[in-house]
Amino acid sequence: MRLEVRAFAGLHRYIAGAVPGESFSLEVRDGSNGYELLHSLNVPVKEVFTFMVNGRRQDLAQSLAEGDRIGIFPSIGGG
Amino acid sequence: MRIVRLDMTKLEIKQEEVPEQYRFLGGRALTSRIVADEVDPTCNPIGPYNKLVFAPGLLSGTGAPSSGRLSVGSKSPLTGGIKEANAGGISAQRLANAGVKALIIEGAPAPGKWYVLRIDQDGESLTEENELAGKGTYEVVQALRAKHGEKTAIISIGPAGEMKLTNAGVSTCDVEGNSSRYAGRGGLGAVMGAKGIKAIVIDSPSYINAPVADLERFRAAAKKFTSILTGHPVSGEGLPAFGTNVLMNVISEAGALPTRNFSRGRFEYANAVGGETLAEVAVQRGGLATHACHPGCVMRCSNSYPMPDGTVCSPIEYESAWSLGPHCEIKDLDIIAKLNYICNDVGLDTIEAGGTLGVAMEAGIIPWGDGEKAVELLEEVGKGSPMGRIIGNGSVFTGQAFGVSKVAAVKGQHMPAYDPRGAKGIGVTYATSTMGADHTAGYSITANVLKVGGFVDPLKKEGQVELSRNLQIATALVDSTGLCLFVAFALLDNPDGLPTVVEMINAQYGLALDVAGALDIGKDTLRAERDFNAKAGFTKAHDRLPEFFKYETLPPHGEVFDVPDEELDTVFNF
Ligand code: SF4
């Protein structure tokens, strides 16, 4: 299945060819979960504080679905 | 420490002893208390009976990290209720080190005269300086620093404040003299203008030597607090690396970024105007991705962004980047920087100014996303043209002038950078805050989006009232300490945080407060503000969001704001 992925606030540095904040498309095994996605991207799990799927926080253990929009963030804040 | 009272009717300055009931108050607790005690809630905000009060926080001017916040209080010309606007920069540290607990400005001089107040540890003086009239804040700071010293703190107003426009802010400056640190919200620049004060110059021998009862104990607590801040991932790493504008992308991803005047929750070009891009461009052009608004801030959330012509806008904060950006569908950081700079110079609050530009676009005065036209329209404010005065009076006034019903304001004040349908906790704060739509008053984005201090699902109505209530109480306390509100990330996650803040207060003032006792300062402050607003004519009906949030759904989540009115009415049950 294909996913639409974005990595923010410095996390792009783990992903070959990724541009900060810009989306890229990624083919993964059907039914993959967040852990598997991070593993295939080489992003260390401990650096990911917010894992967003279609605009909602989602547990890394939960399965992903075709066409999901994924956002990966470290711990951030502001206001 | 002394209280300085400046009577602008008699042009008379008095030094007063600090009354017993104010001794252990500072910042917002003190300015709101003085306004509640001394100002008639029904007075005209730009008339002679309103007062403008400045106070450093309880810890300001000491070695406590990130403690240099200034509180400015008054009756707001924008909301008609009480107002506490809080600013960074160096003026709170200077005031505390000049021995000033609070400055109260009252009365009104003969029209057309402009004065500069100077304060230092030896006393105060007032001079008529009409030649500064009409000048922008950057030039005022330069002129006054040339005369009084390059390290002085300058508080000033721009032409917007002189014209007494309801979106005029009070400007303060950073170490470098950028007049960009604003007590922006609620039109307090118009009150300063009504008092005939163009600027206040503050000098002091030090930034960090305000009186402390038990210095050794204080230093230990301050050291511990520094490591609590630097040890938290948000205040220790995130804020210094990308600044507050790192929020642009996460709020857009979460579907809560108000785009095109609150018509959708994601902006396709969020990344082009977000913190990552800002940091990269700033550094490329020789600017700074991280900067402290006052000496001793360890979180350094600010930046300095050189514009293409070499002029520097320092900083561009998230809220400003949003209001002048996605809210207007503007996707060019250089335009955002330029608009931000105009706001700083003319003397406007950026959130309200951007909010208003979006309303002007909704009205069809200028096209959506047209940066050049937005610059031209905003420049009208400084010229004082009829159109400029409309824009300078804020979003509600502009909406009325042009027949726009969709204006995202509460109690007359425009919303900041989070849509209350995509993050419902912040909607509760917008609706109920004593300040009008204000994110800082109870920053529910922490638990709704950032997962700091727990998690409350942003799209559900459950749990939002309690979240907002607790944050509003804690915030009223933090705003009274002089600590920057961004310490809240660490306070919410680290159980040692709040006790260490209380320990610093105890060591400085020789008190024996516990955490509950300190939170009472927050509760008392909210009660005083609510009471003032009730006397000014505010009712439950004012604690509501504009009605379109109840029936217009927000893409991508398709939510409306559905926290029931009866629940909103329980926020202040404590
Ligand atoms: S965190 Fe930012 S706004 Fe707060 S005191 Fe530091 S530089 Fe100023």
Side-chain angles (χ1 to χ4, degrees):
Chain A
M1 60 183 183
R2 286 205 90 70
L3 303 173
E4 184 186 327
V5 185
R6 290 170 181 78
F8 298 97
L11 291 186
H12 70 282
R13 69 182 183 274
Y14 295 105
I15 308 167
V19 179
E22 295 301 330
S23 77
F24 57 91
S25 171
L26 189 74
E27 186 72 36
V28 294
R29 184 185 60 78
D30 279 8
S32 294
N33 66 19
Y35 286 113
E36 292 166 79
L37 171 64
L38 293 183
H39 184 77
S40 68
L41 289 173
N42 284 321
V43 177
V45 171
K46 65 172 180 23
E47 298 248 340
V48 177
F49 188 77
T50 295
F51 186 73
M52 232 179 245
V53 180
N54 301 322
R56 293 169 194 251
R57 252 173 201 284
Q58 186 167 307
D59 208 84
L60 286 172
Q62 207 173 312
S63 299
L64 301 167
E66 169 70 29
D68 275 351
R69 174 175 174 143
I70 316 282
I72 307 170
F73 301 84
S75 185
I76 52 171
Chain B
M1 300 289 272
R2 65 189 189 271
I3 287 182
V4 176
R5 189 179 294 275
L6 169 60
D7 182 334
M8 288 305 295
T9 305
K10 298 184 194 146
L11 301 180
E12 194 177 88
I13 305 170
K14 279 193 206 147
Q15 298 191 347
E16 298 174 358
E17 254 178 60
V18 179
E20 188 57 33
Q21 72 270 24
Y22 294 164
R23 270 184 59 210
F24 306 125
L25 298 180
R28 175 174 170 188
L30 184 55
T31 57
S32 285
R33 186 73 259 163
I34 292 174
V35 171
D37 286 348
E38 297 195 11
V39 175
D40 177 354
T42 64
C43 76
N44 185 322
I46 54 168
Y49 298 108
N50 196 9
K51 303 191 184 192
L52 186 64
V53 185
F54 297 82
L58 280 168
L59 300 167
S60 302
T62 68
S66 307
S67 64
R69 303 286 302 191
L70 177 76
S71 171
V72 188
S74 193
K75 175 170 173 171
S76 164
L78 187 73
T79 70
I82 198 164
K83 175 55 64 178
E84 191 267 348
N86 202 282
I90 58 175
S91 48
Q93 291 173 308
R94 285 279 180 241
L95 270 178
N97 281 280
V100 176
K101 176 93 173 160
L103 162 67
I104 305 170
I105 305 178
E106 54 195 33
K113 297 203 168 169
W114 294 100
Y115 295 86
V116 172
L117 173 68
R118 182 191 155 97
I119 299 178
D120 57 37
Q121 79 270 28
D122 300 323
E124 305 81 25
S125 58
L126 186 71
T127 49
E128 199 177 316
E129 300 197 26
N130 295 312
E131 65 284 359
L132 291 177
K135 296 213 184 316
T137 63
Y138 286 97
E139 195 183 337
V140 169
V141 171
Q142 230 183 5
L144 290 173
R145 278 193 153 188
K147 192 159 148 190
H148 294 268
E150 293 300 331
K151 291 185 170 172
T152 49
I154 313 287
I155 299 173
S156 66
I157 55 169
E162 293 178 35
M163 288 184 266
K164 302 189 269 285
L165 302 178
T166 52
N167 181 29
V170 172
S171 147
T172 77
C173 71
D174 60 12
V175 172
E176 294 83 4
N178 291 298
S179 54
S180 56
R181 314 303 319 198
Y182 264 76
R185 307 230 67 193
L188 300 191
V191 181
M192 192 155 145
K195 305 291 175 215
I197 301 289
K198 178 68 180 171
I200 303 167
V201 179
I202 313 154
D203 203 2
S204 65
S206 150
Y207 284 113
I208 54 163
N209 286 327
V212 169
D214 185 339
L215 200 53
E216 208 171 312
R217 189 176 155 202
F218 185 86
R219 282 196 180 131
K223 193 171 164 206
K224 181 168 176 193
F225 194 58
T226 301
S227 60
I228 288 173
L229 293 180
T230 52
H232 190 274
V234 171
S235 43
E237 294 160 37
L239 282 172
F242 297 107
T244 58
N245 197 18
V246 73
L247 287 181
M248 189 70 78
N249 277 315
V250 72
I251 302 300
S252 183
E253 275 308 297
L257 185 73
T259 302
R260 193 178 168 116
N261 193 25
F262 293 75
S263 54
R264 58 186 195 276
R266 269 199 194 132
F267 187 45
E268 326 58 285
Y269 303 101
N271 192 43
V273 297
E276 292 93 330
T277 308
L278 194 164
E280 195 189 316
V281 176
V283 171
Q284 255 170 27
R285 292 185 185 165
L288 299 167
T290 182
H291 175 257
C293 75
H294 69 272
C297 177
V298 296
M299 301 182 286
R300 307 184 321 276
C301 78
S302 298
N303 50 56
S304 97
Y305 183 90
M307 293 187 271
D309 71 357
T311 317
V312 172
C313 183
S314 172
I316 301 175
E317 299 289 356
Y318 167 60
E319 308 294 333
S320 313
W322 161 77
S323 69
L324 304 163
H327 176 58
C328 300
E329 286 192 323
I330 289 175
K331 55 181 189 222
D332 180 344
L333 257 183
D334 288 336
I335 292 283
I336 290 170
K338 172 99 189 165
L339 291 166
N340 195 336
Y341 188 89
I342 295 169
C343 288
N344 294 345
D345 199 36
V346 172
L348 295 169
D349 173 44
T350 51
I351 297 176
E352 189 72 35
T356 307
L357 289 175
V359 170
M361 288 174 176
E362 187 82 51
I365 298 167
I366 53 172
W368 287 108
D370 193 329
E372 304 290 332
K373 289 262 166 44
V375 168
E376 279 170 29
L377 187 58
L378 196 61
E379 278 175 338
E380 288 299 307
V381 181
K383 296 178 191 158
S385 66
M387 178 60 101
R389 285 171 189 259
I390 292 173
I391 299 295
N393 273 315
S395 59
V396 170
F397 192 97
T398 302
Q400 279 168 353
F402 295 100
V404 176
S405 66
K406 192 177 171 189
V407 179
V410 180
K411 300 184 178 82
Q413 179 169 291
H414 201 273
M415 282 177 195
Y418 318 87
D419 196 298
R421 293 162 293 188
K424 293 180 184 174
I426 204 71
V428 175
T429 298
Y430 289 164
T432 60
S433 164
T434 50
M435 300 294 150
D438 175 350
H439 62 298
T440 65
Y443 190 59
S444 312
I445 299 304
T446 46
N448 274 177
V449 182
L450 306 172
K451 208 176 175 188
V452 170
F455 179 64
V456 177
D457 188 330
L459 303 178
K460 296 221 167 88
K461 56 188 178 215
E462 290 76 24
Q464 311 294 359
V465 163
E466 194 189 351
L467 173 65
S468 174
R469 177 191 300 127
N470 292 337
L471 287 169
Q472 290 198 51
I473 293 168
T475 301
L477 167 63
V478 172
D479 285 345
S480 305
T481 60
L483 292 169
C484 177
L485 189 54
F486 295 152
V487 304
F489 298 108
L491 294 188
L492 288 165
D493 278 340
N494 189 331
D496 274 351
L498 206 45
T500 309
V501 171
V502 175
E503 170 68 8
M504 289 191 289
I505 295 172
N506 285 340
Q508 186 180 350
Y509 292 90
L511 291 171
L513 281 177
D514 56 12
V515 167
L519 286 170
D520 281 342
I521 298 176
K523 290 181 185 169
D524 289 346
T525 302
L526 290 174
R527 285 190 195 108
E529 292 169 355
R530 290 276 294 176
D531 185 54
F532 183 97
N533 281 356
K535 289 177 182 151
F538 283 69
T539 65
K540 286 181 196 175
H542 297 88
D543 287 342
R544 301 289 182 262
L545 299 184
E547 63 177 1
F548 73 87
F549 288 107
K550 278 190 182 174
Y551 60 76
E552 249 184 50
T553 56
L554 182 76
H557 295 302
E559 290 287 318
V560 294
F561 185 76
D562 54 1
V563 177
D565 290 351
E566 311 77 65
E567 278 194 45
L568 294 178
D569 294 336
T570 66
V571 168
F572 295 95
N573 293 353
F574 52 74

